[in-house]
Amino acid sequence: AQSVTQLDSQVPVFEEAPVELRCNYSSSVSVYLFWYVQYPNQGLQLLLKYLSGSTLVESINGFEAEFNKSQTSFHLRKPSVHISDTAEYFCAVSPSSNTGKLIFGQGTTLQVKP
Amino acid sequence: EAGVTQSPTHLIKTRGQQATLRCSPISGHTSVYWYQQALGLGLQFLLWYDEGEERNRGNFPPRFSGRQFPNYSSELNVNALELEDSALYLCASSRGQSDTQYFGPGTRLTVL
């Protein structure tokens, strides 16, 4: 069975500092990997995804994540955060076989301080 | 392009009642998914509908059910509501069976 572990429940960071949100997964089959962001009282927004190809994927707002198959990780990074990045971030996996199911980590709350 | 829409935004029910939640997918998307986000339990997969058929369900009791209509919109029904059913229910849609899921804003269900 697949599972996702987000190693930090909360990450406080000052504005303009770099940040890394960690995600590890376990799976015996090939997976697709996703990061979603949830702002307060809102649904989930897709931030970026890895399906195949280049292991480094980027979002339009400066986040990037690298798929590391040997370490079964998909950590999310941003070199300089803004106050507006304050939100909860969810890592998710979907087996490449067709189950329709996303398996989510428990989420990491990113708190950006001025 | 309009996103996934859900109604109502908030729903308050009492124990034992039934709740009906609705979801309209992005135009052109045929698959609809339902997730429950309960406090302390994280995001849990509930149901997946594609082309009007239930394709998969998560580890939830049968009183959680739903359907998908010919226009691909979907309804989630929760019967015999329990206090523990209080949660944010998120609907997602995708273009195909293995495609990326895009989420709606959710329906917050409160069971008193």
Side-chain angles (χ1 to χ4, degrees):
Chain A
Q2 292 86 25
S3 66
V4 179
T5 302
Q6 291 184 243
L7 295 160
D8 306 293
S9 59
Q10 293 191 340
V11 173
V13 64
F14 287 105
E15 194 173 17
E16 297 183 6
V19 71
E20 178 180 79
L21 306 184
R22 296 179 292 169
C23 172
N24 285 90
Y25 69 93
S26 66
S27 177
S28 57
V29 299
S30 297
V31 295
Y32 301 137
L33 295 154
F34 305 85
W35 276 100
Y36 285 88
V37 58
Q38 186 175 35
Y39 298 100
N41 300 312
Q42 294 187 26
L44 299 176
Q45 297 178 27
L46 179 67
L47 196 55
L48 43 77
K49 61 185 178 184
Y50 171 78
L51 303 180
S52 64
S54 172
T55 57
L56 184 65
V57 290
E58 298 176 350
S59 72
I60 57 173
N61 56 355
F63 283 94
E64 64 178 31
E66 186 160 20
F67 169 55
N68 188 319
K69 188 174 181 180
S70 62
Q71 296 186 4
T72 60
S73 68
F74 191 54
H75 302 331
L76 181 70
R77 301 183 184 96
K78 189 171 184 179
S80 175
V81 294
H82 303 288
I83 296 286
S84 59
D85 292 324
T86 295
E88 190 157 19
Y89 292 78
F90 292 92
C91 181
V93 303
S94 172
S96 55
S97 59
N98 197 9
T99 69
K101 180 179 178 179
L102 280 174
I103 300 163
F104 286 90
Q106 288 297 101
T108 297
T109 299
L110 176 62
Q111 301 163 322
V112 182
K113 304 176 182 181
Chain B
E1 180 182 84
V4 177
T5 59
Q6 293 186 243
S7 64
T9 305
H10 294 91
L11 190 57
I12 301 175
K13 295 285 186 179
T14 56
R15 255 177 21 180
Q17 286 189 312
Q18 179 196 40
T20 298
L21 289 64
R22 297 179 177 83
C23 172
S24 291
I26 293 171
S27 177
H29 286 193
T30 61
S31 277
V32 171
Y33 312 80
W34 288 94
Y35 291 84
Q36 181 196 65
Q37 187 177 25
L39 203 61
L41 295 178
L43 281 149
Q44 305 289 327
F45 168 76
L46 255 169
L47 288 160
W48 169 31
Y49 292 95
D50 181 70
E51 298 285 358
E53 300 286 330
E54 182 181 303
R55 301 295 184 182
N56 198 7
R57 77 179 281 129
N59 189 23
F60 281 84
R63 58 191 186 83
F64 286 84
S65 65
R67 53 181 172 166
Q68 186 179 33
F69 299 99
N71 67 353
Y72 303 112
S73 67
S74 177
E75 198 173 84
L76 173 69
N77 294 294
V78 188
N79 293 319
L81 284 165
E82 300 179 1
L83 297 178
E84 304 78 61
D85 298 333
S86 294
L88 181 67
Y89 289 84
L90 293 166
C91 172
S93 73
S94 72
R95 191 175 300 279
Q97 292 187 0
S98 297
D99 210 340
T100 301
Q101 296 182 25
Y102 295 90
F103 284 78
T107 292
R108 179 145 325 261
L109 173 64
T110 302
V111 183
L112 302 175

